[in-house]
Amino acid sequence: MESNKIENLLNAYFEGNTSLSEEKILKDYFNNHRVAEHLLQYKPIFVGLHVAGMEKSKQQLDTFEIKTSGIKPWWYSVAALLIIAFGVGAFYLSQPQLTAEEKEALVAFEKSKQAMMLLSENLNKGAGQLDLVDEFTVSKNKFLK
Amino acid sequence: MTKNEFIQNIVPFKDKLYRLAKRILVSQDEAEDAVQEIFLKLWKGKENIKNYNSAEAFAVTMTKNYCLDRLKSKQASNLKIVHSNYHASENLERSVEANNGVEMVFKIMETLPEQQKIVLQLRDVEQFEFSEIAKILDSNETAIRVALSRARKSVRDALIKKYNYGIK
């Protein structure tokens, strides 16, 4: 009786003429009931279709991570550009300031060095002249013994 | 559509889309890649989803198109040589697994033409109405019924052939 009904449903099933509810009956029969011997050959089909429907994807979706980080690059690139521009700008701005100070110091150093040289030169000249004074004493001693 | 709405309405289709992708692409890894890609596309086009009657049908259509494209580009490149090898080893595998009927059904389903695979998957696994399948496949209900009948009969005939072969 039962298997007769199932047979009719099976025939309609293979012709593509069953409704969703009829297909549900077939699926239920082959998955959850004792299947009549002569219908056993159809069992793998319905068990297989049932099993196929239970398969689940094990992977996690990272769509939203991609998406939210996908919006940022625009801001990121602007921020990165600003940082680089600021860095380069600061470097260029600070560079001449430092050298100007250094230059001033260098100039001052050179000037004072020159002044020292002049001073010592003149001092040496003066000291040279003193040799003549010594000569004078030597010749004076010749006479005044 | 906000992120929360998207998670509530679209993300639950994930497993369904994955199963369809796997049915078409066969490989699990490729199916997962495809699903990832499809969700990205869905998220990007989330404003358009509202314009469709059923978000589910929209997502399924997108998955089908994407996977068929992937398959086409794969076959166009280097898979032809691999494919001829694949059949030989598959036959060997099949005779080894001949005692597992369910496994055999899966193997037989892999050999069906793409269109029949998709129809069988959508109807017998995911229980879509004929009208929905027709819309997804851009076809009519009669054609869907014919394709479905062919797919079911192919599976049945191949299965019975294997069974008898195994018994003999």
Side-chain angles (χ1 to χ4, degrees):
Chain A
M1 183 63 199
E2 175 77 355
S3 70
N4 218 341
K5 187 183 150 204
I6 295 296
E7 263 170 58
N8 287 337
L9 279 180
L10 265 177
N11 285 334
Y13 172 80
F14 285 114
E15 294 305 321
N17 290 329
T18 40
S19 68
L20 279 180
S21 55
E22 286 170 329
E23 283 162 24
K24 213 171 177 182
I25 295 170
L26 280 174
K27 240 187 192 179
D28 180 61
Y29 173 74
F30 282 103
N31 278 293
N32 303 324
H33 291 80
R34 249 189 80 91
V35 179
E37 191 120 350
H38 67 290
L39 295 175
L40 222 55
Q41 56 181 335
Y42 300 112
K43 190 175 166 154
I45 298 176
F46 294 95
V47 175
L49 292 172
H50 180 66
V51 170
M54 297 201 297
E55 194 173 352
K56 284 192 163 49
S57 161
K58 287 175 219 72
Q59 119 213 79
Q60 285 291 313
L61 287 176
D62 50 45
T63 313
F64 308 110
E65 288 9 281
I66 290 172
K67 196 54 214 164
T68 42
S69 68
I71 252 173
K72 270 175 188 162
W74 184 80
W75 294 102
Y76 275 172
S77 60
V78 169
L81 213 72
L82 278 174
I83 289 168
I84 290 169
F86 183 77
V88 170
F91 179 74
Y92 272 105
L93 279 175
S94 62
Q95 197 82 331
Q97 258 178 3
L98 248 165
T99 48
E101 225 170 87
E102 264 177 356
K103 252 182 206 164
E104 241 171 73
L106 263 171
V107 166
F109 173 68
E110 285 295 326
K111 265 186 181 162
S112 52
K113 207 166 107 179
Q114 226 175 346
M116 292 291 209
M117 287 296 268
L118 263 166
L119 193 75
S120 80
E121 228 171 83
N122 284 331
L123 205 73
N124 284 342
K125 245 188 219 166
Q129 295 291 329
L130 276 178
D131 281 352
L132 293 176
V133 178
D134 279 346
E135 199 66 31
F136 181 74
T137 21
V138 167
S139 48
K140 182 206 78 181
N141 287 345
K142 270 181 189 168
F143 298 106
L144 301 171
K145 263 193 179 161
Chain B
M1 186 179 272
T2 66
K3 188 172 157 179
N4 274 342
E5 280 176 314
F6 188 81
I7 289 170
Q8 266 169 23
N9 299 325
I10 311 296
V11 172
F13 304 147
K14 189 178 91 169
D15 291 326
K16 207 172 270 191
L17 300 185
Y18 167 74
R19 289 192 291 260
L20 178 62
K22 201 184 161 203
R23 181 71 54 228
I24 299 173
L25 297 171
V26 179
S27 144
Q28 182 182 330
D29 289 338
E30 276 185 68
E32 284 183 349
D33 284 352
V35 169
Q36 197 71 256
E37 201 64 33
I38 286 152
F39 268 98
L40 194 66
K41 277 174 188 235
L42 283 170
W43 174 250
K44 276 181 185 159
K46 61 186 182 303
E47 299 311 323
N48 297 333
I49 294 176
K50 279 182 229 150
N51 303 337
Y52 290 82
N53 295 335
S54 151
E56 187 182 32
F58 176 65
V60 169
T61 309
M62 205 174 202
T63 307
K64 178 214 76 178
N65 289 338
Y66 181 81
C67 291
L68 288 180
D69 281 351
R70 281 291 288 270
L71 212 60
K72 224 181 272 171
S73 66
K74 211 168 72 173
Q75 277 165 352
S77 57
N78 57 358
L79 213 87
K80 279 220 168 90
I81 306 160
V82 182
H83 204 68
S84 59
N85 289 341
Y86 174 71
H87 261 294
S89 65
E90 193 191 40
N91 282 338
L92 193 79
E93 227 173 85
R94 233 184 248 163
S95 54
V96 171
E97 289 171 351
N99 50 355
N100 189 339
V102 174
E103 206 65 38
M104 242 154 58
V105 170
F106 285 146
K107 292 282 177 195
I108 295 163
M109 277 167 85
E110 278 176 28
T111 63
L112 293 175
E114 310 308 336
Q115 205 74 359
Q116 290 185 22
K117 255 189 222 177
I118 296 166
V119 173
L120 195 67
Q121 175 74 16
L122 292 180
R123 177 67 180 193
D124 282 353
V125 179
E126 312 293 356
Q127 278 104 39
F128 277 90
E129 288 287 353
F130 282 118
S131 57
E132 287 174 302
I133 301 173
K135 218 182 281 168
I136 289 165
L137 292 177
D138 198 18
S139 180
N140 60 63
E141 288 187 35
T142 320
I144 298 299
R145 275 179 199 273
V146 170
L148 183 65
S149 166
R150 279 206 192 122
R152 285 169 174 172
K153 280 179 182 165
S154 302
V155 173
R156 177 192 64 186
D157 295 346
L159 187 68
I160 289 170
K161 216 163 99 187
K162 299 281 173 209
Y163 251 157
N164 292 341
Y165 185 76
I167 289 161
K168 277 174 202 168

